């Protein structure tokens, strides 16, 4: 919800909010993967951390995503997360080896 609300902020503040939220979710997924062993947690955690890195790169002008960069990042985050969450457990099952 915070990321969606941050769309209304200026780009620098939006980058701060998005980076913080993506990093928070990524770390939470990795910690949860350690605790419960869910496959999707093992996959989505690194993905969300990578997306946080892309947000920082775009905000600093290092990642040339063009004028619709925020839309691309938001869409990639939502679609990528959903696809990894759903697809990883369909391919490899719900739980992995400890």
């Amino acid at each position: 919800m915070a990321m969606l609300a941050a769309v209304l902020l200026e780009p620098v503040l939006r980058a701060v909010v998005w980076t913080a939220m993506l990093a928070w979710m990524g770390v939470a997924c990795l910690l949860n993967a350690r605790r419960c062993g869910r496959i999707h947690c093992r996959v989505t955690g690194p993905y969300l951390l990578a997306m946080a890195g892309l947000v920082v790169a775009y905000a600093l002008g290092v990642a040339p995503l063009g004028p619709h960069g925020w839309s691309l990042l938001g869409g990639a985050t939502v679609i990528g997360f959903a696809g990894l969450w759903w697809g990883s457990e369909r391919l490899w099952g719900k739980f992995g080896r400890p």
Side-chain angles (χ1 to χ4, degrees):
M1 191 57 120
M3 287 178 63
L4 188 58
V7 170
L8 302 173
L9 300 174
E10 65 179 83
V12 173
L13 291 175
R14 183 180 315 145
V16 169
V17 171
W18 282 31
T19 302
M21 294 297 99
L22 288 166
W24 178 272
M25 291 185 296
V27 169
C29 285
L30 291 175
L31 291 174
N32 198 44
R34 259 180 80 188
R35 184 184 62 80
C36 75
R38 290 288 296 256
I39 292 294
H40 79 259
C41 296
R42 293 180 183 183
V43 178
T44 56
Y47 179 76
L48 292 170
L49 293 175
M51 290 306 298
L54 280 174
V55 167
V56 171
Y58 181 64
L60 294 175
V62 177
L65 300 177
H68 303 291
W70 289 110
S71 297
L72 291 171
L73 288 168
T77 298
V78 171
I79 293 168
F81 179 83
L84 287 171
W85 174 71
W86 182 83
S88 64
E89 291 193 353
R90 298 310 172 278
L91 289 172
W92 300 301
K94 230 177 195 181
F95 296 96
R97 291 186 307 242

